Each structure stands twice: as C-alpha cells, then as structure tokens.
Amino acid sequence: MRTHTCGDLRSEHIGQTVSLCGWVAKRREHGEKLAFVDLRDFSGVVQCVVDNDVDVRSEWVVRVTGVVRARPAGTENSTLATGQVEVGECRVEVLNIAEPPPFPIDARADEVDEGIRLRHRYLDIRRERMQRNLRVRARVNSSIRAAMERQGFVEVETPFLMPSTPEGAREFLVPSRKEPGSFFALPQSPQLWKQLLMVAGVDRYYQIARCLRDEDLRADRQYEFMQLDAEMSFVTQDDVLAAISEAVMAAAESVTGVRPPEIERITWREAMERFGVDKPDLRFGMELVELTDVFSATEFKAFAGAASIKAIRVDAATYPEQAAYGRNKLDALTDRAKKLGAKGLVWLKVVADGQVESPVAKFLSDLERSELLARTHATEGDLVLVVADDWATTCEVLGQLRNDIGRPPVHEGPYRYVWVVYFPLFVGADPNTGRPRPGHHPFCHPHPDDIDKFESDPLSVRALAYDLVLNGWELGSGSIRIHEPELQRKVFNALGISDEEADRRFGFFLQPFKYGAPPHGGFAFGIDRLTAILAGEENIREVIAFPKTQSGADPMTNAPTPVDAGQLAELGLRLLPPPAQ
RNA sequence: GGUCCCGUGGUGAAGUUGGAGUUCACGCCGGCCUGUCAAGCCGGAGGUCGCGGGUUCGAGUCCCGUCGGGACCGCCA
C-alpha cells in the first residue's frame, strides 16, 4: 500500500512519487484550495500539501500519493526531521474515519492524567514517546539475547504453572480444574528451574522471563515484569559478574550508542559506610563521614557512648536551598530521621569563623567542633546533619536523608552502574525464633573465608551474593549457590531450620542436588527498570505497552473482573461473602 | 494495612472569606481564509464540579465517608 514511511522522507527523495499511509496528525486549512495535512505513522510526521478539497480530520486513516518536493524557500520547518521537504500534488484516499481522540496524540498528552492514557492506551502508543520507548525496549531485549548467545548461553523456556512455595513474594494462584482444591502458582522467578537446569548439565542457561509477584505496585514495580534470568555452572563470582556486565553494557550501548565503562564494584559494607544504602546512587557525593572517635569522650549525652556517629554535609554551593533550610524544614528532617528509626537528628549550620549555629552547639567542645568541621570539610553556609545510633541505623538514616536531599531523578545522566558485592549471608533476627534470617535466600554460598564464623558471629558472615545498581535503582541480584549438601545443612542449622523442616519445605528442590550438582551461580535483572532508565523515563509503566495502575487494575480492559458462577463451580471454588461493613 | 497529593465541559488549568455552573487555553461543530506548521479571524455547542452523606439560608469551596489516579512506607526471601 505504501512506498515509504512518513518519517523517512528527506531531500534525497525530491522528485519521487510516493505513497504513504498513516493517521492525520493535524490539518491546517487555507480556504478551499489549500490545506496542509501532517501525516503520521510510527516513523514520524511529514507535511502533505492538498490543493483539492478533501475532508480529512484528526486521526482519520489515509493513504496519500504525491510527489516529494523541496519546501518553498523560507517555509522549511527545522523542528521536523522531514522539515526540508513536503509531499505535493496529493491524492488522498480515506481508509477509515475516526472519532476525535480523547486527548491530543502528541507531546501534550504527557500532561494528561495517566489513567486516561491507560484507558486509551492504543491511542497513547500512537505517540512518538511511546513508539520510541517500545522500540528502546525491543533493542534492549534483542541486544541482551545477542550478548547471551555470544557467550554460549542456551535459551530454555521454563513452566508458568508450578507448585506453590511459601517462601518469598506472594504468589498468583491458578486453581486446578482436574484437581479441585489444588492450585498452581505462577513463577515469582524461574529460580527453581534454572538451578535444576544446572544439575541437568545445561551449563549456561538464560531466559528473558516473565515473573509475577502479587505485591503492591510502585513506580518501579508491576505485578508482571521481565527479567534477564541466567545461571552458569563451574564458575566463580567474577565469571557471573563478567557475563551479566556484558549483557547490560551491550543493552546500554544499543540504546545510547555508547558502551559504558567497565562496571565498578563496591562491597556491601563499603556501600553502607559511604552511602548508607545497599543500592548507592553514585551520581552525587554527600558521602557519610565517620565521626565516632571524635566524640569518644564527649560530654554531650546524645553522642556519649553511641556505637556509631556519622554525618553528611549539605554543600551550600551544590544545594543552596537545602543548606539554608529554616527551622521548620529542619524539624521536618528530624521527624523524618525519627520515622526512619533514629533516636534523633543533630543539625549544625556553619557560620563565619568556624562557628556553628545549632541547638546542641553549647554541648560541643571547641576540639569536637573543629574536628567535626575538618572531617566533613564543612565551610560557611553548609549544613551538617549528624546521627548517633547503632551502626546500621546511623548508616541507613543518613543514607536515606542523603537520597532525600541530593538524589536527582533516576533517568538523569550520567549512568552510574555499580556491582555491590558480598552482601551479608544473614540479617537481623527473626522476631519469633530469635534466629538470623537469610539476607537473600537460604541457598546463597557463604564467603569461603567466613565459614568458621557461623556460630561465633553469624551476622558478619559474607555471602557470595551481589546486586547490580544503576543510579540508585536496584536492577537485579544474584549469587553463587550452595551445591554441597553438608554446607547447605550448616546454613539451615544457623537459620534454625532442622533437617526435617528443610526436607519438608525445600525437599523437591534439594532432592535433585543429591545426584551431582555442579558448582553454579547466576543472576537476574529487571529489564523494565533498565529500559526505563535508558529511555529517560522514571516510571516503568512508560516502557510497558499495557501496564497496570498502582491499584493493580487495567483501566482499558477493566481486569480483574468477576467471573460467573459456572466458571467457579468448574474449578471447585465458592466465594466468601464480602467482608462486613 | 498506613501516610501524603490529586479529581471542575473531550483535554489541561483557574475558581479569593462559603454567595448564580463562573473563567482561560486547547480540542470539537459551522463560516471565512492560497504557505501554514501545536496556523489565523468570526460564530456556536458542550457540565451529575468523581460519588454519597453532613454543616449552612446558601457548598466546586467546610466536615465525614467512599470510588478512581499518583508518590511513598509496610510488603517485594
């Protein structure tokens, strides 16, 4: 039906007779004998000059046949890729009429309520922004596939219907028709399958896999999301990191045209010490400064005896507004710190001559004050925020405040990828059992140097577990897995899981490991998140064709919907009465 | 489960101390217009102020509830 696409016409096409198909983006009439019709398809927009009276309106579907010609001098449009040319002597064939759209099919729809965009997603996707985002996503997918294939990974598809496992995220359940009362679960991730594929000798598995988790939605979370899921046999942590880095860098290069530099690494411990979070945003400074020893003999009660005292400096030159916060804002920051778990927040404003203005100024010795300013490099106009608490609380609270105050929107460059390695194997204590809980999942391999600390100091045991972080967003995580039954039992014991319980909860998973499991490890990262950042979006819904709203519904199809009684009966289900008012 | 923000013709906004469904821009319909480009000029149509209740002589405005959308906390091993 067409010889070219709208967005592709350039001066080199001048003189050619072309046929184009698309939607009427805009019509500008100048009397009966002249009209400009902007024709849009996926590739862009081109101006068609119609000098006969054809009635075409917004979003009508038309086929235009005409001759490409240079625009008359002075009428070129530099804001349009096709703006040097136009299609003249146009014959317009109406292929379909259309009602006026509920919102303009152009950049103005960026301001339209997202619910309305989602209700008419097929119109939203006609827009350049969405066309671009879907194509970015396609490039990400295909370059990841190519990178994994290049490295010898084999794509294996795994089941969508699998047994429910109570661990981890809440699952979507699928009732069984043939076995009423029994259910399948949809995969939170292909974790189970990929480790079995290692036992099965596949050696290098990957899949661009859909994962489903019935947890509350966020800007970076949907019920359904896509992961690059991979697993490798006979590898070290370095091998896994290298393979995944290659896929990520290839994906980034395919979108931005620039291959990112080698992805840097930081230990979990260092991330917490310097940035106060396990997904540090390296695009800005404001790092945490260690002050514990400065106040080792302080008279100031709130600092005396604190296990950890740290500060961040809000630089007046970089953050003039925040550094000059008044009393109300500082009180709000203090409330925020308390909500995050700190006992309090001490703020100090640096004034002239190394003096500070602070509610606690009179409690600090001259030496303490001058050392605090020296360590934080604070100068006149800067704001210093200090937290004194246990190590984890101090780090986490200041890390959150650092993000609150300084973090740019996630999509703003430069892109700063970082591997966070050696996560703790165990975290905190289960409030019920008093035992430590797994930091990641109970199959992570402990760091070989730390295995003798299981009993003496379990919380200091590092895992061969790692996260990939981009601009403060967690892209994904992985680990080297335990393949030795004896070590696995040791980890279960530390977690307070008996052999019997382990067998009951994980037996179907552990049984195959008895038949010769190779050393293996893997990784999974979220393609929606990577795509959003590479596309310059701060919300993964913008890179998903048909996403759900925050409440988990689809305004276009109205899913989820009730089903009729017959469907329920066939599945052996009956609904509970609605909860009382 | 919780905190906060938003909801006014098709779209986006404004609406002051509670005083007439009022206003602006875009879109839509009709007319004019031969070089515009988010064209211009003239005219017109279009409303359950999300919904329900309350306070009041009177509610878009205040209060309570509810629905929908969004950000976040919990949750996401």
Side-chain angles (χ1 to χ4, degrees):
Chain A
M1 292 181 80
R2 62 187 172 195
T3 60
H4 295 73
T5 55
C6 299
D8 296 337
L9 295 183
R10 294 289 185 277
S11 297
E12 70 206 60
H13 298 104
I14 287 171
Q16 293 185 25
T17 297
V18 299
S19 290
L20 305 169
C21 293
W23 287 263
V24 175
K26 196 71 207 175
R27 179 194 49 159
R28 293 176 293 279
E29 261 192 288
H30 292 253
E32 283 181 26
K33 283 293 188 289
L34 178 66
F36 300 98
V37 173
D38 288 342
L39 189 65
R40 173 191 353 97
D41 65 16
F42 69 93
S43 65
V45 169
V46 68
Q47 172 167 286
C48 303
V49 183
V50 181
D51 54 9
N52 42 34
D53 59 336
V54 185
D55 187 21
V56 291
R57 303 192 175 214
S58 287
E59 302 309 315
W60 284 23
V61 186
V62 297
R63 177 171 184 257
V64 173
T65 302
V67 180
V68 181
R69 65 193 188 198
R71 292 197 182 198
T75 68
E76 301 88 351
N77 183 349
S78 59
T79 64
L80 217 54
T82 59
Q84 296 303 306
V85 298
E86 62 188 15
V87 182
E89 302 166 42
C90 287
R91 194 164 57 79
V92 177
E93 200 180 327
V94 175
L95 303 177
N96 210 348
I97 62 170
E99 289 182 16
F103 53 83
I105 312 298
D106 58 36
R108 284 171 294 184
D110 291 345
E111 310 303 320
V112 170
D113 182 86
E114 199 185 339
I116 293 169
R117 289 174 55 205
L118 291 180
R119 183 148 50 246
H120 305 276
R121 192 60 152 180
Y122 40 86
L123 298 178
D124 195 29
I125 294 175
R126 270 185 209 165
R127 305 190 306 128
E128 195 227 333
R129 175 190 186 184
M130 296 303 295
Q131 291 283 330
R132 185 187 65 237
N133 287 354
L134 293 183
R135 284 172 166 77
V136 165
R137 191 184 179 103
R139 265 204 301 280
V140 166
N141 275 330
S142 91
S143 53
I144 285 174
R145 278 218 163 78
M148 297 308 279
E149 301 283 340
R150 250 194 333 268
Q151 300 181 97
F153 286 82
V154 178
E155 183 173 9
V156 181
E157 290 144 285
T158 54
F160 236 52
L161 298 173
M162 56 188 292
S164 169
T165 51
E167 319 300 319
R170 188 183 298 117
E171 299 168 319
F172 284 97
L173 292 177
V174 179
S176 162
R177 174 177 57 85
K178 293 199 175 248
E179 288 186 42
S182 287
F183 296 80
F184 294 104
L186 302 177
Q188 312 165 29
S189 83
Q191 183 71 32
L192 162 68
W193 308 110
K194 68 177 177 181
Q195 289 194 245
L196 298 185
L197 287 170
M198 295 303 100
V199 177
V202 168
D203 198 83
R204 289 190 167 200
Y205 143 91
Y206 89 99
Q207 181 179 195
I208 291 184
R210 186 176 301 269
C211 306
L212 299 105
R213 295 180 188 173
D214 188 4
E215 300 288 354
D216 287 358
L217 283 54
R218 289 282 197 287
D220 59 353
R221 276 161 39 188
Q222 285 272 304
Y223 283 150
E224 328 178 33
F225 58 99
M226 303 302 289
Q227 285 194 335
L228 168 65
D229 190 56
E231 196 77 10
M232 312 163 74
S233 290
F234 309 112
V235 289
T236 63
Q237 174 172 292
D238 283 352
D239 296 322
V240 179
L241 266 44
I244 302 300
S245 293
E246 175 58 28
V248 171
M249 291 193 285
E253 183 176 11
S254 76
V255 175
T256 66
V258 180
R259 187 176 168 89
E262 187 179 354
I263 299 176
E264 58 194 290
R265 294 184 198 181
I266 179 174
T267 66
W268 175 85
R269 179 86 195 179
E270 187 184 353
M272 295 303 294
E273 290 276 5
R274 290 174 55 197
F275 304 101
V277 290
D278 59 9
K279 43 183 178 182
D281 190 336
L282 269 40
R283 290 173 300 167
F284 67 107
M286 213 191 297
E287 293 189 19
L288 278 54
V289 178
E290 178 61 54
L291 296 175
T292 312
D293 58 303
V294 175
F295 297 99
S296 57
T298 188
E299 310 254 305
F300 179 39
K301 267 191 182 166
F303 286 180
S308 174
I309 303 174
K310 288 172 181 285
I312 54 174
R313 175 178 66 96
V314 182
D315 176 36
T318 316
Y319 306 99
E321 188 191 328
Q322 290 86 344
Y325 270 170
R327 202 51 191 259
N328 281 348
K329 291 282 197 176
L330 292 168
D331 286 348
L333 274 186
T334 305
D335 285 347
R336 171 84 168 137
K338 285 179 178 169
K339 269 186 192 152
L340 292 165
K343 290 192 259 305
L345 177 71
V346 168
W347 57 263
L348 306 96
K349 286 180 152 183
V350 185
V351 293
D353 305 322
Q355 296 301 304
V356 297
E357 178 193 324
S358 168
V360 308
K362 58 178 177 288
F363 301 117
L364 305 183
S365 70
D366 289 348
L367 184 63
E368 287 166 353
R369 188 186 64 243
S370 62
E371 187 62 15
L372 180 146
L373 296 182
R375 292 270 183 100
T376 58
H377 303 291
T379 57
E380 187 174 344
D382 292 351
L383 171 68
V384 177
L385 302 173
V386 188
V387 172
D389 219 300
D390 60 79
W391 178 80
T393 303
T394 297
C395 293
E396 286 164 16
V397 169
L398 283 173
Q400 193 56 56
L401 293 179
R402 170 182 178 269
N403 274 344
D404 289 351
I405 293 168
R407 190 162 170 235
V410 64
H411 60 283
E412 278 182 15
Y415 303 115
R416 291 295 299 272
Y417 300 84
V418 57
W419 284 109
V420 180
V421 299
Y422 301 143
F423 271 64
L425 188 66
F426 306 115
V427 294
D430 188 296
N432 300 319
T433 65
R435 288 292 194 149
R437 293 173 294 130
H440 188 53
H441 62 58
F443 312 111
C444 285
H445 202 292
H447 194 293
D449 295 349
D450 295 349
I451 288 179
D452 56 358
K453 292 197 279 192
F454 266 47
E455 293 304 321
S456 56
D457 188 9
L459 295 186
S460 76
V461 176
R462 293 166 295 170
L464 298 180
Y466 32 85
D467 276 12
L468 178 59
V469 176
L470 170 54
N471 293 3
W473 257 14
E474 181 188 327
L475 283 187
S477 61
S479 62
I480 300 297
R481 328 294 184 186
I482 299 172
H483 65 280
E484 315 95 312
E486 203 44 48
L487 181 58
Q488 184 68 66
R489 187 170 301 121
K490 213 173 159 183
V491 171
F492 281 146
N493 286 344
L495 293 167
I497 299 172
S498 67
D499 290 357
E500 295 72 37
E501 187 183 358
D503 200 50
R504 181 166 48 78
R505 281 165 64 182
F506 308 112
F508 66 97
F509 179 63
L510 297 174
Q511 175 75 13
F513 277 51
K514 295 174 180 167
Y515 294 98
H520 63 287
F523 193 81
F525 76 79
I527 290 178
D528 308 85
R529 290 181 183 179
L530 176 62
T531 304
I533 297 172
L534 292 176
E537 300 287 358
E538 45 193 321
N539 179 326
I540 65 171
R541 293 187 297 273
E542 301 294 353
V543 296
I544 297 171
F546 300 105
K548 306 282 189 287
T549 64
Q550 192 166 76
S551 63
D554 176 1
M556 189 177 69
T557 63
N558 286 325
T561 59
V563 295
D564 65 51
Q567 261 178 297
L568 288 175
E570 191 171 42
L571 297 166
L573 298 178
R574 193 187 316 136
L575 296 178
L576 291 171
Q581 293 290 334

